[in-house]
């Protein structure tokens, strides 16, 4: 169900644009002309609310409803991360999309409870396929095997392919 995958994609894009905003504003200042006074009086630009607002204003294209809705709905979480959590939780994607807003899962897991994909979260589908819903709150964890493999766990050779492992030695 792509409707379950979309919020995670939106969140991932939002976080990527947040990081681009950080890069874009990295060498800026308050722009008032007296940077030393401003930073002494208003705190440092690099951790200021003004910088955060600049970043948030550019997170979404005006036509991207899902992104704008997510920002509107969860702006207070972004502010909380910016002012209180980013030192302890430097990975915004993990903190925001997986742990706080809960629209994504860690890689190798899927579904509402972030269960391990078939074959385990380290090597979903034994590395021979793709887990349905991998990294999202959607999907069913089933494997979609690569061309040369088949079976529910992608452990069997597809028709016309043979294992190169020597058995019994």
């Amino acid at each position: 169900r792509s409707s379950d995958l979309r919020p995670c994609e939106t969140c991932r894009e939002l976080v990527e644009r947040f990081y681009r905003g950080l890069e874009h504003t990295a060498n800026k200042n308050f722009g008032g002309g007296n940077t030393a006074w401003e930073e002494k009086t208003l705190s440092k630009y690099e951790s200021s609310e003004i910088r955060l607002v600049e970043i948030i204003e550019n997170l979404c294209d005006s036509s991207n409803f899902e992104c704008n809705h997510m920002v509107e709905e969860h702006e207070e979480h972004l502010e909380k991360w910016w002012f209180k959590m980013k030192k302890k939780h430097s990975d915004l994607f993990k903190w925001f999309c997986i742990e706080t807003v809960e629209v994504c899962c860690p890689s190798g897991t899927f579904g509402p409870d972030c269960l391990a994909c078939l074959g385990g979260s380290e090597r979903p589908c034994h590395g021979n396929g793709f887990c349905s819903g991998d990294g999202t709150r959607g999907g069913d964890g089933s494997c979609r095997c690569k061309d040369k493999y088949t079976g529910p766990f992608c452990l069997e050779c597809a028709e016309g392919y043979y294992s190169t492992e020597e058995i019994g030695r």
Side-chain angles (χ1 to χ4, degrees):
R1 295 185 330 231
S2 67
S3 62
D4 290 337
L5 309 179
R6 190 73 198 132
C8 183
E9 288 174 28
T10 300
C11 199
R12 187 179 301 280
E13 290 167 16
L14 189 150
V15 167
E16 285 171 10
R17 289 184 73 145
F18 194 98
Y19 283 128
R20 280 202 298 275
L22 280 175
E23 287 175 25
H24 179 72
T25 59
N27 297 319
K28 286 184 147 187
N29 57 40
F30 288 109
N34 189 344
T35 304
W37 176 85
E38 289 165 345
E39 292 199 344
K40 192 177 108 189
T41 310
L42 304 171
S43 82
K44 294 249 179 262
Y45 174 80
E46 82 179 283
S47 57
S48 69
E49 185 170 8
I50 291 171
R51 183 179 184 198
L52 174 64
V53 168
E54 273 185 56
I55 293 168
I56 288 177
E57 282 177 354
N58 294 302
L59 284 179
C60 308
D61 296 328
S62 58
S63 61
N64 187 334
F65 173 78
E66 289 91 356
C67 181
N68 283 294
H69 181 70
M70 187 172 280
V71 169
E72 193 176 300
E73 201 171 314
H74 301 290
E75 190 169 355
E76 74 280 359
H77 293 305
L78 292 170
E79 290 172 2
K80 180 180 179 181
W81 180 81
W82 180 256
F83 292 114
K84 297 181 177 156
M85 308 302 282
K86 72 179 168 187
K87 281 188 176 66
K88 187 176 173 190
H89 300 278
S90 61
D91 184 341
L92 178 58
F93 176 76
K94 182 179 179 205
W95 184 84
F96 184 67
C97 299
I98 297 174
E99 298 171 359
T100 304
V101 182
E102 297 182 345
V103 292
C104 297
C105 289
S107 184
T109 65
F110 75 96
D113 299 318
C114 296
L115 301 173
C117 292
L118 288 177
S121 61
E122 295 299 312
R123 286 187 67 222
C125 305
H126 299 284
N128 302 325
F130 307 95
C131 172
S132 167
D134 190 352
T136 73
R137 298 286 171 149
D140 61 8
S142 63
C143 294
R144 193 179 79 245
C145 301
K146 294 177 184 173
D147 287 344
K148 299 175 184 176
Y149 299 91
T150 189
F153 297 94
C154 300
L155 284 173
E156 301 158 37
C157 295
E159 197 171 321
Y161 292 94
Y162 303 93
S163 177
T164 55
E165 291 179 23
E166 291 188 36
I167 300 169
R169 287 195 180 171

